Structures are given as C-alpha cells and as structure tokens.
Amino acid sequence: METKRSQELYEEANLYTPGGVHTSIRNVDPHLIFTKAEGAYIYDADGNKYLDYQAAFGPYILGHNHPYVNGKVIEAIQRTDLYGVGTTDLEIELARMICRNVPSAEQVLFCNSGSEATYHAIRLSRAVTGRTRLIKFQGCYHGWHDYVARNMLSKWDMIGKRDPGSAGMMDEAIDNTLICTYNDLEDVERTFKENDGQVAALIVEPIPHNIGCILPQDGFLQGLKDLCEAYGALLIFDEVITGFRHDIGGFQKVAGVTPDLTTMGKAMANGYPIAAVAGKKEYMQRFNTYPGGDVWFAGTYNGHAVGTAAAIATIDLMEREPVHEHVFRLGERMRSGIREIHARLGMKAVVAGFGSVWTTYFMDFMPQNYTDLQHNDADFYVRYRKKLLERGIYKMPMNLKRNHVGYSHTEQDIDHTLEVIESVLKEMLAE
Ligand SMILES: Cc1ncc(COP(=O)(O)O)c(C=O)c1O
C-alpha cells in the first residue's frame, strides 16, 4: 500500500498543529491524509480507496457526502444562515421533527457537539435537584469536559479507581463523578445508597459503543430508571451514538425506557455539526432560553442553517425511506457472516453488535462490561484491522473500536468485506 504522499503531508501537518491532528484519538498508525469521501468509500492522498466502516465514529448513517442532505444544506445556505437573534424557520422544523420522534423529547435545544449537549444536561440536572454528584459507567464516553472525562478507556489496573482522563481537570469535578460497572444494578444501587441525597443524575450510553458494543442485559436500563426515581436523580441517556442510528426515536424507543433527559448528535445530521439536548418540558424550561429560566444556555453557532438543514434532511429521509431496515439487514448479514467464518476457522472470538453496529472481540465469551474486555486480545484486534485496511477495508485500527454500516453500503460490499475478513484471518492464524 503506497502512503508516501500521506507521509509528506503528515509531516507538514505536524509543523502547524501539535501532533498534526485535531482530535487526540485520530493519531493512529498508518497515518493517512484523507482527501475525498463518497457514499461508502473514503480516499487518501495517495489515491487509495477504502470501504469505510469507521464512519467518522458514527455520524455517517446515510453515507458520506449524501446528495440529498448536501442538496438541502446548499439550498438552505443560498437563502439563509445565522442571525444571533430570534428563531429560524429551520430550527422550528427540526425541533418539531425531534419532538415527534424521540419519546423523551417534550422540548429540545440545539448546540454544536455531543460534549456541549452532555455538559448542558448535567448542569441542568444539578440545578433541578440542587445536588452535585453524577454517576457514570466505567468505559462510557460522554465528551471531553471535566464532568465526565474520567474512567473512559482506563488502563486495566485503573478500572473503577480515580482515573481522570486529562491533566488540568478540577478535583471537584473528578471527585463528584462516581463510577459504576455497566450491567451491574447492585453496584448502582450501592452507589446511590452511599451517596443518598447527593446524586443529581446518572448518565449512560444505553449501549456503551465507545468500547465496541456491550448490550444492556434485560431490565438493566429499566432498573436504572427505577433507581433514579427511587433516589430522586435524573436519568440522562447519552444517545449521541445510538440516537437516530438504532431507531429514529433512539435506543430509548427500542428499549421502551424513557429517560428524563437525552443528548443527541452524530447520526442526527449525517456528519454535519449539530447536537441536541432534549427532555421533559418542566426541566427544559429551567434553561434561560425560557423567560425566568436560571440555567445558562448559549452558543453563537447554535441552530446554524448548515446543521439544522442537514438534520432535517437526514431525519426526513429516515422517515420516508427504509434506512433502518437496510442498515439492520446489512448489519445482521455482516455479523452472521463473520460468525460463520469464525466457526469455519475454529476461532475463539465473539461478534457483538446491534443494528448497523458491530465489532469482533477476540475472546471466548460475550463481554458484559469494561472489566470483561481485559480478555479481548488487543494485539490481535489491532493487527487484524491494519491488515484489513491494507486491503481496502477501513475499520479504525485501535482496540475496542466499533464498525458502522450505512445506507450507502450494499450487500455486495458486505460480501466483499466478508471475503477479505476470511482471507486475513486465515493468514493471521497461519502466522
Ligand atoms: C456517547 C457519546 N457522547 C458524547 C460524545 C461527545 O460528542 P462530541 O465529540 O460531538 O463532542 C461522544 C463522542 O464520541 C459520544 O460517543
């Protein structure tokens, strides 16, 4: 695989930008400079073409550079943009669509990133309850800010311990975020009891996709809701990945569990920058966008025409076309195909996934939480992905990262991927 041009450009990127990337997790080997994206494919500076399952960490549910979404964005910005005052027609239309589809969304506010959305949701929960503490789960990611940036992809010996994700974080923020084990209701109950009257909210990725795909056990999400109710805390579903990807109503619709607050982003606008926080009207009206509200909510670019038009187009397409039926069918074709390959090769591996998302863990049982993932063969996981990449299949070459199928992937793409997977695994087993 030729990567000479990528290497040259990467050296230049490093002159102007620390590490040459604009998000820490983007620094992977091989370092590629991407120049073009179309449908299910991405292209690098040396002209290599990849079938993309990374999907930019999840936004691309319809496929890259989707003509319908792009067309609606161009149409919008030829007419309108951003005012910094009042309300736009696009904001009203998008808010109506979200409230129509997402069960917990009685009202919604727009911002620009998932991190902003979780920040706002947590601050709101503190204002509503008059409490400080927050519960999150080991391995879940909710953005880069101090309230949540701890115990993400912790080193194994730091699981459940005090593990801030960054230097420079406020001790008060770190220590007021309590860490529980996913799929362990007893642990959550114990934490609530030990901090009785102090927990403002529990935030959870309904499916922790930041560590691949760990499914909630039967009754787990409902159990979280019951515990939040019993201990007077707000339940926040962080649906930044699951929202719109697993159902137009989010995973809450699939699970039949309605949280107090929901954060959304990524697949909501098929790659364009917009995010949202939504929830019960009585809580949402505490934001100071509402007269008398006392929880600050602001952002120069909130509700920009680019993001709102893209989200309207994306959700509109989901309402009119069999987007979810397609990605679920192809996701299942991929998972069952990979399982057959593992069986043929007698491999110790499990394929985890839901709908359009999947990953292969190289271990002999289905993990239920982050602790279990110590059993995954991380070295094999990354080497496997690098070999796929060399053959034109782009899955993030990093441990525990998930893959995404989009509306632009075809059955032929899946079958081709399965062929490459089988030949790569055979080669690796022979080594
Ligand atoms: C579940 C979840 N919440 C929040 C975020 C933060 O979103 P953003 O990167 O848009 O700030 C992410 C990002 O990956 C995420 O996966």
Side-chain angles (χ1 to χ4, degrees):
M1 194 180 110
E2 178 62 58
T3 60
K4 192 165 168 284
R5 189 66 190 132
S6 271
Q7 283 168 27
E8 285 165 6
L9 287 169
Y10 182 39
E11 273 173 36
E12 192 180 1
N14 268 288
L15 294 178
Y16 309 117
T17 298
V21 291
H22 295 268
T23 281
S24 57
I25 208 164
R26 290 182 189 166
N27 236 332
V28 297
D29 174 45
H31 196 101
L32 302 175
I33 307 295
F34 292 101
T35 50
K36 186 176 137 180
E38 194 174 32
Y41 291 91
I42 53 176
Y43 302 77
D44 69 21
D46 291 274
N48 298 308
K49 177 180 176 183
Y50 308 89
L51 191 46
D52 180 33
Y53 293 110
Q54 158 66 358
F57 281 103
Y60 291 102
I61 173 102
L62 302 177
H64 287 276
N65 260 319
H66 194 275
Y68 181 69
V69 179
N70 284 1
K72 287 291 180 188
V73 169
I74 291 164
E75 196 181 298
I77 59 175
Q78 280 171 343
R79 165 176 75 82
T80 183
D81 48 19
L82 178 72
Y83 305 89
V85 61
T87 309
T88 71
D89 55 335
L90 294 172
E91 288 169 328
I92 299 169
E93 190 177 347
L94 178 58
R96 190 192 306 126
M97 286 173 122
I98 290 177
C99 292
R100 176 165 76 223
N101 284 299
V102 180
S104 65
E106 289 176 16
Q107 293 201 315
V108 62
L109 282 166
F110 302 131
C111 49
N112 302 290
S113 71
S115 300
E116 285 178 62
T118 59
Y119 184 93
H120 288 306
I122 292 163
R123 187 154 69 184
L124 175 62
S125 73
R126 289 182 168 142
V128 166
T129 59
R131 301 171 177 182
T132 309
R133 299 205 160 159
L134 173 74
I135 294 178
K136 84 175 269 287
F137 292 93
Q138 174 68 59
C140 282
Y141 180 70
H142 303 290
W144 41 255
H145 56 82
D146 283 14
Y147 297 165
V148 288
R150 66 169 290 185
N151 294 81
M152 302 170 293
L153 297 170
S154 299
K155 294 206 172 87
W156 303 128
D157 61 352
M158 291 306 287
I159 290 176
K161 297 188 186 150
R162 192 179 195 275
D163 187 25
S166 172
M169 286 175 71
M170 300 240 319
D171 283 338
E172 291 79 358
I174 300 165
D175 294 325
N176 279 299
T177 298
L178 312 168
I179 305 302
C180 284
T181 303
Y182 189 80
N183 271 331
D184 186 345
L185 282 176
E186 278 176 21
D187 186 32
V188 178
E189 180 156 26
R190 190 167 48 243
T191 305
F192 266 121
K193 261 194 199 135
E194 284 170 9
N195 297 274
D196 201 8
Q198 298 180 74
V199 178
L202 180 149
I203 188 166
V204 62
E205 291 181 72
I207 300 178
H209 278 313
N210 278 289
I211 46 175
C213 188
I214 306 280
L215 290 179
Q217 291 167 352
D218 277 354
F220 178 67
L221 296 175
Q222 181 60 47
L224 295 181
K225 183 172 167 138
D226 295 343
L227 285 170
C228 282
E229 265 170 30
Y231 287 89
L234 266 55
L235 177 62
I236 305 170
F237 273 8
D238 181 359
E239 297 230 42
V240 166
I241 297 175
T242 54
F244 300 99
R245 177 165 282 282
H246 291 335
D247 190 286
I248 198 168
F251 193 72
Q252 56 195 265
K253 181 107 174 276
V254 179
V257 178
T258 304
D260 297 299
L261 299 173
T262 302
T263 53
M264 293 161 269
K266 300 204 190 230
M268 168 180 168
N270 199 53
Y272 283 94
I274 184 168
V277 53
K280 287 201 176 115
K281 196 170 172 174
E282 61 170 304
Y283 301 144
M284 293 298 288
Q285 288 184 345
R286 284 291 295 269
F287 281 121
N288 69 354
T289 52
Y290 187 72
D294 58 354
V295 180
W296 188 264
F297 192 91
T300 301
Y301 299 110
N302 290 359
H304 191 287
V306 166
T308 47
I312 291 167
T314 303
I315 300 170
D316 172 42
L317 211 79
M318 287 177 183
E319 287 183 327
R320 288 188 295 106
E321 293 193 18
V323 173
H324 291 99
E325 187 273 324
H326 180 90
V327 297
F328 270 59
R329 187 164 45 76
L330 264 52
E332 193 46 46
R333 191 181 181 94
M334 183 72 83
R335 283 186 291 273
S336 55
I338 299 174
R339 284 188 191 114
E340 283 165 24
I341 293 169
H342 292 166
R344 271 200 294 279
L345 302 180
M347 285 189 65
K348 194 175 83 167
V350 291
V351 184
F354 182 85
S356 59
V357 175
W358 91 94
T359 196
T360 300
Y361 296 117
F362 295 98
M363 54 195 280
D364 59 3
F365 67 100
M366 191 59 87
Q368 302 299 315
N369 54 45
Y370 187 72
T371 308
D372 287 350
L373 292 171
Q374 293 175 84
H375 296 269
N376 171 54
D377 186 340
D379 175 60
F380 197 92
Y381 198 100
V382 176
R383 277 196 297 126
Y384 166 62
R385 284 168 172 244
K386 282 193 182 156
K387 282 184 186 290
L388 290 174
L389 190 153
E390 283 161 15
R391 300 195 196 182
I393 308 286
Y394 202 97
K395 297 174 167 193
M396 184 74 163
M398 187 182 283
N399 192 27
L400 304 182
K401 293 300 150 213
R402 65 195 177 277
N403 313 296
H404 315 77
V405 168
Y407 196 41
S408 57
H409 285 100
T410 62
E411 289 188 359
Q412 289 79 358
D413 290 332
I414 305 302
D415 294 346
H416 168 67
T417 304
L418 290 169
E419 276 171 30
V420 178
I421 285 176
E422 182 149 13
S423 87
V424 162
L425 286 175
K426 272 186 183 153
E427 186 184 302
M428 290 179 76
L429 292 175
E431 274 167 12

